[in-house]
């Protein structure tokens, strides 16, 4: 593993906004497969998670949507607008929101909850996911995978992951492990050059706040606020950030509560 870790100038860039020319309409079923929930049921995070079988299709899906650098496609909403993965029949969605085979897309705002994953980004490039909140996920809060490159996870708030099993409750997970790629007869997952910055990792994250998998390269982790108080030490989780890829820049992160692995391993 090769990693650079040093201080960078603190970014003064503002969060992406919703004032962009081209937008998705949240209730357009051809683009987004499920309308936004209005008022989610309150959840007690101290109680066991719900059923672990009966996955349904993702609550929301952005599939094969392409903007440009000058005019990205934007899906925008406040945190009070909730994608809830509960299907009402004891099952949970595989993802509260999934973005697939897309580019130059911006997802700004929203709360994603009650699903296997909060935000699942697949085969998507040059896109931004900003000011999103994820909570009550059975696995990770945000996943970037299947050769998703040059994306930006900015200003998100992640809490209460890993409710299926603590060992797979990362906050942000980039790439795919060897066990689930090469060893399983699948190609390397080259989810390269992704930036994870200015995010807040809160309570209830039992695995690493960020896990950067083997075969990934050249990303940046900067200006995040980590919280290791919930790390349970299962499945090798002993630090805020696990770096198995190469060429990462780690800078200006702060936080509290780490285990024997320290801040980064």
């Amino acid at each position: 593993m090769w990693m650079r870790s040093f201080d960078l100038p603190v970014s003064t860039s503002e969060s992406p906004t919703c004032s962009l020319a081209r937008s998705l309409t949240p209730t357009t079923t051809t683009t987004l497969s499920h309308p936004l929930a209005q008022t989610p049921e309150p959840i007690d995070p101290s109680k066991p998670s719900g059923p672990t079988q009966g996955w349904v299709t993702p609550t929301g899906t952005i599939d094969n949507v392409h903007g440009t650098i000058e005019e990205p496609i934007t899906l925008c909403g406040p945190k009070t607008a909730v994608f809830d993965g509960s299907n009402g029949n004891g099952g949970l969605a595989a993802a509260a929101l999934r973005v697939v085979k897309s580019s130059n897309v911006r997802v700004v705002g929203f709360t994603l909850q009650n699903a296997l994953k909060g935000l699942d980004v697949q085969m998507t490039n040059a896109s931004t996911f900003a000011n999103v909140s994820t909570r009550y996920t059975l696995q990770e809060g945000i996943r970037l995978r299947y050769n998703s490159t040059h994306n930006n996870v900015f200003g998100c708030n992640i809490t209460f992951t890993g409710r299926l099993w603590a060992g797979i409750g990362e906050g942000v997970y980039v790439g795919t492990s060897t066990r689930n790629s090469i060893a399983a007869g699948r190609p390397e997952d080259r989810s390269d050059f992704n930036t994870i910055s200015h995010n807040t990792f809160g309570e209830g994250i039992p695995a690493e706040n960020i896990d950067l998998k083997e075969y990934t390269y050249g990303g940046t982790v900067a200006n995040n606020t980590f919280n290791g108080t919930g790390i349970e030490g299962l499945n090798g989780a002993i630090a805020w950030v696990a770096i198995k890829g190469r060429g990462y820049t780690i800078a200006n992160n702060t936080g509290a509560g780490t285990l024997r692995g320290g801040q980064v391993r």
Side-chain angles (χ1 to χ4, degrees), residues 5-29:
S5 181
F6 50 85
D7 288 340
L8 295 177
V10 177
S11 172
T12 58
S13 61
E14 296 182 357
S15 173
T17 66
C18 299
S19 58
L20 296 167
R22 302 167 64 193
S23 297
L24 299 177
T25 302
T27 54
T28 301
T29 56

Side-chain angles (χ1 to χ4, degrees), residues 25 32 51 53 79 107 109 140 142 154 168 170 233 240 246 254:
T25 302
L32 194 60
Q53 297 182 353
K79 286 185 172 59
V107 176
E140 57 268 40
I142 297 176
F154 182 98
I168 53 175
E170 297 88 353
W240 292 338
R246 299 178 300 115
T254 61

Side-chain angles (χ1 to χ4, degrees), residues 100-176:
V100 182
K101 296 180 180 178
S102 298
S103 63
N104 291 296
V105 169
R106 288 187 177 184
V107 176
V108 182
F110 300 110
T111 293
L112 313 177
Q113 67 179 32
N114 294 336
L116 189 68
K117 307 176 194 303
L119 174 64
D120 187 8
V121 180
Q122 305 180 15
M123 297 170 282
T124 291
N125 305 305
S127 295
T128 295
F129 309 95
N131 302 330
V132 172
S133 293
T134 74
R135 60 189 183 185
Y136 314 130
T137 56
L138 298 193
Q139 295 182 351
E140 57 268 40
I142 297 176
R143 177 74 178 269
L144 305 178
R145 57 176 168 167
Y146 303 158
N147 302 318
S148 292
T149 68
H150 297 92
N151 297 297
N152 183 17
V153 178
F154 182 98
C156 296
N157 185 276
I158 300 163
T159 58
F160 297 111
T161 61
R163 302 183 76 210
L164 176 62
W165 180 55
I168 53 175
E170 297 88 353
V172 176
Y173 189 113
V174 180
T176 303

